[in-house]
Amino acid sequence: MQVTTVHHAPAGTDPTVIGAASGLLGQYRAAPDEAFFASPTRTLLTDGVHVRVPQDGRPLPVRVADTLARARRDGVEHPLVVGAVAFDHDSRAELAVPARLRRCGALRDDPLIALPAPTTDRAEWQVRSVPAPEAYGAGVAEAVRRLRAGELDKVVLARTLELTAGRPLDLPAILQRLARRDPGGYTFAVPAGSGRTLIGASPELLLSRRGTAVLANPLAGSVPRSADLGEDVRRAAALLESPKDLHEHAVVVDAIRAALAPYCRTLDVPARPTLVRTAAMWHLATTITAELADPAVSALELATALHPTPAVCGAPTPLARRAIGEIEPFDRGLYAGMVGWGDADGDGEWVVTLRCAEADERTLRVYAGAGVVAESRPEAELAETSAKFRTFLDAAGVPR
């Protein structure tokens, strides 16, 4: 197995080496200060901390740029930061320049990723829904009332499941199952502070930058998959024609277009969305490409200009954030934030933190949300969040 091991070096190992990416996945041990991140372009495994991004009042891109400059002065040749940023990116970021970094090609390009994931041992789970399903439905109904009154255009409401296991969790095995279920997506396990781990498999790229080339891939508008092939195809086709979901998606795309435009020399936004599938869901997706006007603008600066998009918050953003604070009975923390990496040259990949949980030794807090528009029905949004939970619950071995 060929894997590049460096303090930090430019990307560019041979993606054709069989077993490199799945090997890094298999070496994740959920040790303190260990992080794993896999995308359609690369696989990263880090260990230890060279320097952390400070938590202070300065804008996040400034703090990260200063941290990377410090690492470079310390002799780190090509430093990068890895980790997660909260839904409220001004309040919290768990980012660090790692002490050791190994990287290779993408999981999806490694044939060994098709091998079976570790089997799930049976465990006894205590499960508590926050809020309770009926309370979540009431929250959706309240949001619909506000939407129909013209107070806002869209709001995303989330709920959580708090799970406690009878024995210590096997986070490496959970990560293996998440990655092998959707190897073409974005899989991550990064420190979440206070000894906790943020672990998940997101389908949604917020933004990536390579040189002056920028890519965003917003998802909004969803329907659960079906085990029946004919029904699965029917649901996908109906999603492409659903006025409710197309409107929800257009709100997100328009917001991203408006946020990116001031930074870009060219900006290409397709007129209609396409479909993206995961093991559990169909999503409407639009691939947005752009060319930066100023090559000094980093991926993280662009990502913070976009975040939170209407895909995880709503529109208009200030009114949607206020509605979320009034309706949701919990702090989102790192959920619906962003997770990924950024380097000292300004390149990076930042993914929307979805299909995830915060974990400690025996507990998981799993998150899922649904976009609410004026045409939404509480029972449909409850069903959508339940379907989204399954990505993580199946990986954790929680029975249906």
Side-chain angles (χ1 to χ4, degrees):
M1 180 182 72
Q2 176 180 321
V3 175
T4 299
T5 303
V6 291
H7 195 129
H8 288 282
T13 59
D14 184 354
T16 65
V17 175
I18 294 175
S22 58
L24 283 188
L25 173 66
Q27 292 174 48
Y28 174 76
R29 292 291 177 263
D33 298 326
E34 186 180 19
F36 178 89
F37 179 82
S39 77
T41 70
R42 73 200 64 218
T43 305
L44 306 177
L45 180 66
T46 79
D47 180 42
V49 171
H50 177 80
V51 60
R52 296 187 191 278
V53 175
Q55 310 272 8
D56 59 36
R58 293 176 297 159
L60 179 61
V62 173
R63 284 183 277 144
V64 168
D66 286 355
T67 302
L68 290 167
R70 172 183 167 184
R72 184 169 273 171
R73 290 194 300 272
D74 291 344
V76 180
E77 188 175 355
H78 296 281
L80 57 74
V81 295
V82 180
V85 179
F87 176 68
D88 180 1
H89 60 74
D90 291 327
S91 69
R92 180 181 169 202
E94 301 290 343
L95 298 170
V97 176
R100 289 166 295 282
L101 167 67
R102 285 173 286 173
R103 68 176 90 197
C104 64
L107 282 174
R108 68 177 180 180
D109 297 328
D110 183 349
L112 297 188
I113 200 62
L115 294 175
T119 57
T120 305
D121 294 331
R122 287 191 170 273
E124 295 296 324
W125 292 95
Q126 296 179 352
V127 182
R128 185 170 78 97
S129 183
V130 180
E134 58 273 16
Y136 180 76
V140 172
E142 169 59 18
V144 168
R145 184 194 67 76
R146 298 186 189 195
L147 288 153
R148 292 179 177 174
E151 295 180 23
L152 63 167
D153 298 322
K154 174 187 174 179
V155 64
V156 179
L157 293 182
R159 64 189 186 103
T160 75
L161 297 179
E162 296 178 353
L163 297 98
T164 304
R167 61 171 179 268
L169 300 174
D170 187 348
L171 293 185
I174 293 174
L175 185 69
Q176 285 263 1
R177 290 190 285 270
L178 287 168
R180 292 179 186 275
R181 192 180 192 199
D182 280 313
Y186 301 87
T187 308
F188 53 88
V190 300
S194 302
R196 297 176 66 81
T197 299
L198 177 70
I199 180 171
S202 176
E204 184 170 0
L205 173 69
L206 177 64
L207 182 131
S208 69
R209 197 206 90 160
R210 183 173 183 179
T212 59
V214 174
L215 176 68
N217 188 214
L219 309 184
S222 307
V223 67
R225 300 285 305 274
S226 172
D228 178 81
L229 178 59
E231 173 62 14
D232 195 45
V233 172
R234 188 199 68 76
R235 291 183 185 184
L239 181 62
L240 274 174
E241 302 299 327
S242 164
K244 178 260 186 188
D245 291 287
L246 288 169
H247 168 66
E248 180 185 340
H249 189 80
V251 169
V252 177
V253 171
D254 289 346
I256 291 177
R257 178 195 286 112
L260 281 179
Y263 297 95
C264 298
R265 183 170 59 83
T266 64
L267 183 60
D268 181 32
V269 183
R272 286 184 60 84
T274 57
L275 287 170
V276 166
R277 66 182 179 186
T278 67
M281 303 292 295
W282 285 105
H283 300 281
L284 293 177
T286 295
T287 300
I288 298 171
T289 56
E291 191 76 18
L292 282 178
D294 180 0
V297 177
S298 71
L300 182 59
E301 185 175 347
L302 293 167
T304 55
L306 298 184
H307 177 74
T309 74
V312 294
C313 181
T317 300
L319 298 178
R321 291 183 78 153
R322 186 173 69 186
I324 289 168
E326 293 170 351
I327 296 173
E328 288 183 359
F330 56 88
D331 179 2
R332 289 188 174 188
L334 296 174
Y335 167 69
M338 50 189 178
V339 60
W341 64 274
D343 68 18
D345 295 326
D347 289 345
E349 292 178 299
W350 297 100
V351 177
V352 184
T353 311
L354 304 173
R355 313 295 186 271
C356 65
E358 286 200 28
D360 59 21
E361 186 181 7
R362 293 175 183 262
T363 66
L364 294 168
R365 185 163 191 167
V366 188
Y367 297 85
V372 181
V373 293
E375 299 81 12
S376 293
R377 296 177 293 112
E379 61 272 21
E381 308 308 338
L382 184 65
E384 180 176 326
T385 53
S386 295
K388 289 176 176 176
F389 278 137
R390 285 316 320 174
T391 295
F392 198 93
L393 297 181
D394 287 348
V398 180
R400 292 177 181 265

